[in-house]
C-alpha cells in the first residue's frame, strides 16, 4: 500500500490536464468534465481490458451531475503499462487514492466502478479507510464481484465450465509473455469473443466495436497480470466499511464474468444497498443499459449531495 501522503513523490504538470503521474512513476490518462467548481465529484472507474470510454454512453446521459472524473487504469487505454509487480488490485486502489488527493482534494465524492473498477473501490475501502470515511458520499458497484473469481465458469456447466476457466488461465500466461504494446489482432477477430463473453441479448454493433477497440488498446502483459489479481481478489469482509453510505449494486442476469450471485453477495453484505438486476443484460451494463445505469448513478449523486 502506498501512502497518499507522499505528495512530494507525485509530479504533475498543470499544463497537461489529461496526464497524472503516480508516486511510482506511472503516467495515467485522465478525463474531466462538468463544472470545475462543483461541490461534488463523480469518479468513474472502468474494468479489466477496457478504458475510460466504457462510460461514454453513461456520461452522455448524466446531465447535470456535477464534475465527472474518469481515467485509464495502468496498463489500459492511454495510460502507461503496469510495471513489473504492480498489476494488482492493491496498486489500482493506491493509484485511485493518489488521483483523488491530487485532482479532487476537497468536497464529497461518489465512486462508480465497473467490474475490476468496482474491485478497486472495494480495495480502496480496505487499504485507505480514512479517505473513504472522510470523502466518499456514495458508491455504485456495476457488474462486479467481491471475491471467488477463481471459480468462474463463464456460465458453462460442469466440465465445460471448469475447462473454460483453465483456458482463461492459460491464455493469461501466454499474454504475460507478450512483449508487444498491444495485441496485433484485427477488430473482426476480437468482436465475436466480446459478443459471446461480455454481452447479453441483442447487443448493438457500436457497443461491440467499442469494447473490442478498448481491449486492443490494453497492454497484453498488464492484462495478464490483472487477470491473476482478479482471481485472488477477496474483499467480502471489508465491504462492511461502506455500511451507512448510499450504495447501489447493479447486475446483468446474463453476466458470465461477474454473475448475479456475486452481486448478491455484495448486496447481502450491505443490506441498505439498492440491488438492481437487469434481465437479458450481460457484463457490459454501461453500454447495454446505459440509460438505466446513468439514471441510477444520477439518483445516487443527488442522494449523496443531500447527506
Amino acid at each position: 500500500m502506498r501512502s497518499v501522503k507522499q505528495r512530494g513523490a507525485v509530479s504533475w504538470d498543470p499544463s497537461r490536464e489529461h496526464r497524472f503521474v503516480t508516486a511510482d512513476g506511472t503516467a495515467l490518462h485522465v478525463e474531466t468534465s462538468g463544472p470545475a467548481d462543483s461541490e461534488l465529484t463523480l469518479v468513474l472507474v472502468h474494468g479489466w481490458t477496457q478504458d475510460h470510454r466504457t462510460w461514454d454512453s453513461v456520461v452522455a446521459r448524466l446531465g447535470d451531475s456535477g464534475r465527472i472524473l474518469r481515467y485509464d487504469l495502468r496498463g489500459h487505454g492511454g495510460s502507461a503499462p503496469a510495471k513489473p509487480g504492480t498489476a494488482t488490485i492493491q496498486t489500482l486502489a493506491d493509484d485511485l487514492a493518489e488521483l483523488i488527493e491530487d485532482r479532487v482534494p476537497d468536497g464529497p465524492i461518489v465512486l462508480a466502478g465497473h467490474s475490476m473498477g468496482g474491485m478497486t473501490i472495494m480495495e480502496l475501502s480496505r487499504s485507505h479507510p480514512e479517505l473513504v470515511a472522510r470523502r466518499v458520499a456514495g458508491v455504485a458497484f456495476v457488474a462486479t464481484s467481491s471475491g471467488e473469481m477463481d471459480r468462474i465458469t463463464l456460465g458453462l456447466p460442469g466440465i465445460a465450465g471448469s475447462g473454460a476457466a483453465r483456458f482463461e488461465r492459460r491464455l493469461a500466461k501466454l499474454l504475460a509473455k507478450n512483449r508487444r504494446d498491444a495485441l496485433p489482432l484485427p477488430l473482426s477477430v476480437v468482436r465475436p469473443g466480446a459478443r459471446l463473453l461480455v454481452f447479453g441479448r441483442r447487443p448493438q454493433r457500436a457497443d461491440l466495436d467499442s469494447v473490442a477497440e478498448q481491449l486492443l488498446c490494453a497492454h497484453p502483459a498488464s492484462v495478464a497480470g490483472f487477470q491473476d489479481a482478479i482471481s485472488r481478489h477477496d474483499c467480502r469482509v471489508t465491504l462492511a466499511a461502506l455500511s451507512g453510505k448510499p450504495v447501489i449494486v447493479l447486475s446483468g442476469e446474463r453476466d458470465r464474468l461477474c454473475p448475479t450471485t456475486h452481486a448478491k453477495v455484495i448486496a447481502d453484505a450491505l443490506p441498505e444497498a439498492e440491488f438492481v438486476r437487469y434481465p437479458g443484460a450481460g457484463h457490459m451494463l454501461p453500454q447495454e443499459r446505459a440509460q438505466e445505469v446513468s439514471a441510477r448513478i444520477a439518483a445516487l449523486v443527488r442522494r449523496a449531495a443531500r447527506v
Side-chain angles (χ1 to χ4, degrees):
M1 178 182 71
R2 298 196 302 270
S3 170
V4 296
K5 299 302 182 184
Q6 297 175 340
R7 298 301 293 279
V10 178
S11 61
W12 171 51
D13 180 354
S15 67
R16 303 183 69 180
E17 63 178 303
H18 296 297
R19 185 170 181 264
F20 173 78
V21 182
T22 68
D24 73 347
T26 302
L28 305 181
H29 177 81
V30 182
E31 294 282 342
T32 57
S33 58
D37 60 351
S38 176
E39 180 178 347
L40 184 146
T41 300
L42 170 63
V43 181
L44 301 172
V45 192
H46 69 80
W48 184 58
T49 76
Q50 300 296 283
D51 56 49
H52 72 276
R53 291 173 290 174
T54 289
W55 300 103
D56 279 353
S57 296
V58 171
V59 169
R61 293 168 169 81
L62 279 173
D64 185 17
S65 293
R67 186 181 183 220
I68 300 173
L69 183 151
R70 47 185 173 147
Y71 66 105
D72 295 343
L73 302 175
R74 61 174 62 204
H76 295 74
S79 292
K83 297 181 179 183
T86 70
T88 68
I89 307 299
Q90 173 68 71
T91 300
L92 295 183
D94 291 342
D95 290 348
L96 177 55
E98 289 182 17
L99 184 61
I100 288 172
E101 289 291 331
D102 189 271
R103 297 298 174 92
V104 197
D106 301 299
I109 295 168
V110 169
L111 299 172
H114 173 250
S115 194
M116 190 169 71
M119 299 174 195
T120 299
I121 295 169
M122 295 175 204
E123 183 58 46
L124 183 76
S125 70
R126 171 162 60 187
S127 56
H128 298 276
E130 302 87 0
L131 173 64
V132 171
R134 176 170 48 93
R135 302 290 307 284
V136 176
V139 176
F141 290 124
V142 183
T144 188
S145 172
S146 60
E148 296 192 338
M149 289 294 290
D150 57 334
R151 300 183 181 182
I152 293 300
T153 64
L154 303 181
L156 299 174
I159 295 175
S162 58
R166 286 195 299 272
F167 173 77
E168 185 181 37
R169 288 191 289 271
R170 290 196 188 107
L171 180 60
K173 289 180 180 179
L174 289 174
L175 288 174
K177 298 176 182 178
N178 192 305
R179 294 295 177 262
R180 296 176 182 268
D181 290 332
L183 289 174
L185 297 174
L187 197 66
S188 59
V189 171
V190 179
R191 191 188 297 117
R195 168 68 182 87
L196 175 66
L197 289 176
V198 298
F199 282 92
R201 296 194 182 101
R202 297 185 293 278
Q204 298 294 314
R205 177 62 175 264
D207 294 336
L208 287 170
D209 285 350
S210 177
V211 166
E213 288 168 1
Q214 290 173 60
L215 185 151
L216 291 173
C217 285
H219 183 250
S222 300
V223 164
F226 282 120
Q227 194 279 333
D228 182 65
I230 289 170
S231 72
R232 299 172 186 271
H233 169 69
D234 188 349
C235 276
R236 286 167 289 180
V237 175
T238 56
L239 283 171
L242 298 172
S243 295
K245 295 182 182 293
V247 175
I248 58 174
V249 181
L250 310 182
S251 175
E253 291 189 347
R254 295 176 66 88
D255 191 336
R256 294 177 180 271
L257 298 187
C258 294
T260 296
T261 52
H262 286 226
K264 189 175 186 303
V265 170
I266 301 171
D268 288 347
L270 299 166
E272 295 181 0
E274 182 181 7
F275 182 25
V276 184
R277 288 169 282 199
Y278 295 100
H283 187 62
M284 301 309 299
L285 288 180
Q287 285 92 356
E288 296 179 80
R289 297 292 186 272
Q291 185 63 49
E292 294 94 326
V293 170
S294 60
R296 295 284 180 181
I297 291 177
L300 178 67
V301 168
R302 292 192 295 269
R303 181 181 171 192
R306 295 194 297 267
V307 173

